[in-house]
Amino acid sequence: MILTALTLSLAAWLTPPPATSTWTRFRGPNGSGRIEGPAPPTEWSSDANLRWRTALPGSGTSSPIVSGDRVYVTAYTGYGVDPENVGELDDLARHLIALDRKSGKELWRATVPGGSEEDPYAGFICQHGYASSTPVTDGERIYALFGKAGLFAFELDGEEIWRTSVGAFSDPAKWGSATSPILVGETIVVDAGVLGHQLVGVDAATGDIKWSIEDASYTNSWSTPTTVPSADGELVLFSVPRNVIAVDPATGEVAWKVESPMDDSTTASVITRDQEAYLMGTRAGRGLAIDCEGGEDGEPDVIWKKSIRSGISTPVIVGNGMFWCSSGIFMGASLDDGEYFFRERVPRYDGASGGFGSADYSSPVAVGDLIFQFARNGEGYVLRASEEFELVAHNPAFEGDESNFSSSPALADGDMFIRSERFLYCIGESVD
């Protein structure tokens, strides 16, 4: 392959990721998808480097999170689990499940019954279901968004502390909710565009709504917020149709808005490097880069805006590049100008499903210069973060699990946790 003319400095590629051994929210530290520490094994299967596999009580597409000696994940039961026998909407229940990190043993399960207000199991909801939001924890409580049932806080033993509604609307196509809450200081921040046509800050201790920014145009937003440093601390970035909005997480004051080319919907989250923000999306495939610090007037500057192939998943930044996969095509592009390093189709094993099976909902994660990516059929890939496409390993789907893998992996201390619709897996070096 011919390399691009762009030369990346060695220092840029070796910039260390956030230092942490826990993965407490969607895509880990600040939604970066990166972590410092030992990498999980690059090769795995049902017979190698699989520490444990635990059957989940129901279905779901939320990602696992890791805190201390526990792994948390959500699931749903009672309705829309079996496409051949959908059941009754009133029987829908959501579950927050705590598992022992070393063994995969279920420690407790908190159940929230009821779902009469949810959208029916039809259309795009069939692709992700009713447990699509990843929980977040501060190590003292776990917070989970269960659609129209609301935002919930639980003790570490599973006891419910409070619940708060953030809306009971539907998007025009009734695709359901999927954005994940994040924790910024003492505020839980939620993009409740689909649920409530609003962006919301909730007091983590009480569940009281501290602030709300309401706008009917915020619907069709499934993107999870992230933060970016500012002169006064940090701002929360929301990607909603037609706008990127920066908000003070403590007060809800809007610091600035930038017009976004994502005009029909937002799914991928904003990713950041220092005070720069990058996003992509829409059916047309568009990308945007913003300098959040801006110029002398203090207003953010657009670095570049261009057509760029995208999908549902969120890219991962390694050094001066961003990397992602869409419909079986793995891509790398420069942060400087959005130009592709490469676009290469990853291999599939014989008999692998097509269509939605290769839609690649899962977002990539990285340790060092290794990127880990799952296809929706359960096949796993390890790629090198580089200007040149390099496939390090291609791993088969796990035996006995033909359900979809739509969640993103969680990383911690050399282990990787990934859930399918049926099981939660821990991938790590085999111990004799």
Side-chain angles (χ1 to χ4, degrees):
M1 170 177 290
I2 299 176
L3 293 177
T4 65
L6 177 65
T7 301
L8 301 176
S9 70
L10 180 62
W13 285 105
L14 295 181
T15 300
T20 179
S21 61
T22 58
W23 195 272
T24 57
R25 55 154 289 185
F26 177 61
R27 299 192 72 245
N30 198 31
S32 67
R34 297 183 66 200
I35 199 169
E36 186 178 56
T42 58
E43 297 183 353
W44 62 83
S45 69
S46 298
D47 301 316
N49 291 325
L50 178 60
R51 288 191 182 276
W52 48 259
R53 177 172 87 166
T54 297
L56 296 172
S59 190
T61 55
S62 61
S63 299
I65 61 172
V66 185
S67 179
D69 59 0
R70 294 183 179 181
V71 182
Y72 302 96
V73 72
T74 64
Y76 70 96
T77 58
Y79 175 75
V81 176
D82 181 359
E84 303 300 323
N85 183 22
V86 174
E88 299 295 330
L89 188 54
D90 286 343
D91 295 329
L92 176 66
R94 272 89 160 213
H95 313 275
L96 173 65
I97 305 133
L99 303 98
D100 179 78
R101 177 174 161 180
K102 291 184 178 180
S103 67
K105 178 183 177 181
E106 182 177 323
L107 301 175
W108 54 257
R109 184 187 313 175
T111 298
V112 176
S116 59
E117 294 185 325
E118 296 294 343
D119 299 321
Y121 187 76
F124 205 78
I125 285 185
C126 300
Q127 303 301 327
H128 70 95
Y130 300 95
S132 305
S133 299
T134 299
V136 61
T137 182
D138 53 12
E140 297 180 358
R141 307 181 190 93
I142 309 102
Y143 309 93
L145 180 61
F146 287 146
K148 297 180 184 181
L151 178 69
F152 291 73
F154 298 92
E155 299 280 9
L156 296 184
D157 61 2
E159 180 181 355
E160 182 181 323
I161 305 170
W162 53 255
R163 65 176 69 184
T164 298
S165 173
V166 293
F169 294 147
S170 300
D171 64 284
K174 296 185 182 298
W175 284 353
S177 61
T179 185
S180 299
I182 66 170
L183 190 62
V184 187
E186 299 299 320
T187 304
I188 305 166
V189 178
V190 182
D191 179 347
V194 168
L195 291 169
H197 299 170
Q198 60 180 336
L199 313 175
V200 182
V202 178
D203 188 286
T206 65
D208 295 335
I209 293 181
K210 299 170 67 174
W211 51 263
S212 173
I213 306 169
E214 300 180 15
D215 192 313
S217 70
Y218 292 166
T219 192
N220 283 358
S221 176
W222 294 273
S223 172
T224 295
T226 193
T227 61
V228 65
S230 71
D232 299 321
E234 58 185 345
L235 297 172
V236 176
L237 300 184
F238 295 91
S239 176
V240 299
R242 294 178 291 281
N243 283 290
V244 178
I245 304 172
V247 177
D248 184 320
T251 66
E253 181 182 354
V254 175
W256 49 259
K257 291 184 181 181
V258 169
E259 184 178 355
S260 167
M262 269 50 81
D263 56 358
D264 56 8
S265 64
T266 60
T267 51
S269 300
V270 179
I271 51 176
T272 61
R273 181 186 64 173
D274 300 325
Q275 291 179 302
E276 297 173 350
Y278 305 84
L279 61 154
M280 61 178 64
T282 78
R283 297 178 184 88
R286 296 175 180 139
L288 177 69
I290 305 167
D291 179 356
C292 299
E293 186 176 22
E296 294 181 357
D297 59 0
E299 293 297 314
D301 294 326
V302 172
I303 302 171
W304 51 258
K305 182 190 299 184
K306 61 178 55 186
S307 296
I308 192 167
R309 181 169 181 163
S310 59
I312 291 175
S313 68
T314 299
V316 63
I317 290 176
V318 183
N320 204 46
M322 57 182 177
F323 302 87
W324 72 102
C325 198
S326 178
S327 299
I329 306 295
F330 191 77
M331 288 164 273
S334 167
L335 296 181
D336 292 335
D337 55 16
E339 291 295 322
Y340 290 110
F341 296 146
F342 56 79
R343 288 177 286 179
E344 295 286 341
R345 181 169 295 278
V346 292
R348 290 282 200 258
Y349 284 101
D350 293 340
S353 60
F356 275 110
S358 61
D360 305 313
Y361 288 10
S362 178
S363 298
V365 296
V367 181
D369 65 349
L370 293 177
I371 298 172
F372 298 81
Q373 172 79 56
F374 277 85
R376 200 162 186 237
N377 65 10
E379 293 182 39
Y381 303 86
V382 184
L383 304 107
R384 188 84 61 189
S386 171
E387 283 187 310
E388 187 173 9
F389 176 79
E390 180 184 347
L391 179 64
V392 176
H394 175 202
N395 299 291
F398 296 105
E399 296 176 3
D401 187 358
E402 297 181 356
S403 64
N404 290 324
F405 285 68
S406 299
S407 83
S408 300
L411 301 171
D413 298 323
D415 291 333
M416 179 165 59
F417 302 87
I418 181 71
R419 69 90 59 85
S420 69
E421 291 176 329
R422 293 180 56 198
F423 296 95
L424 179 65
Y425 297 83
C426 176
I427 297 168
E429 291 291 346
S430 297
V431 179
D432 295 331

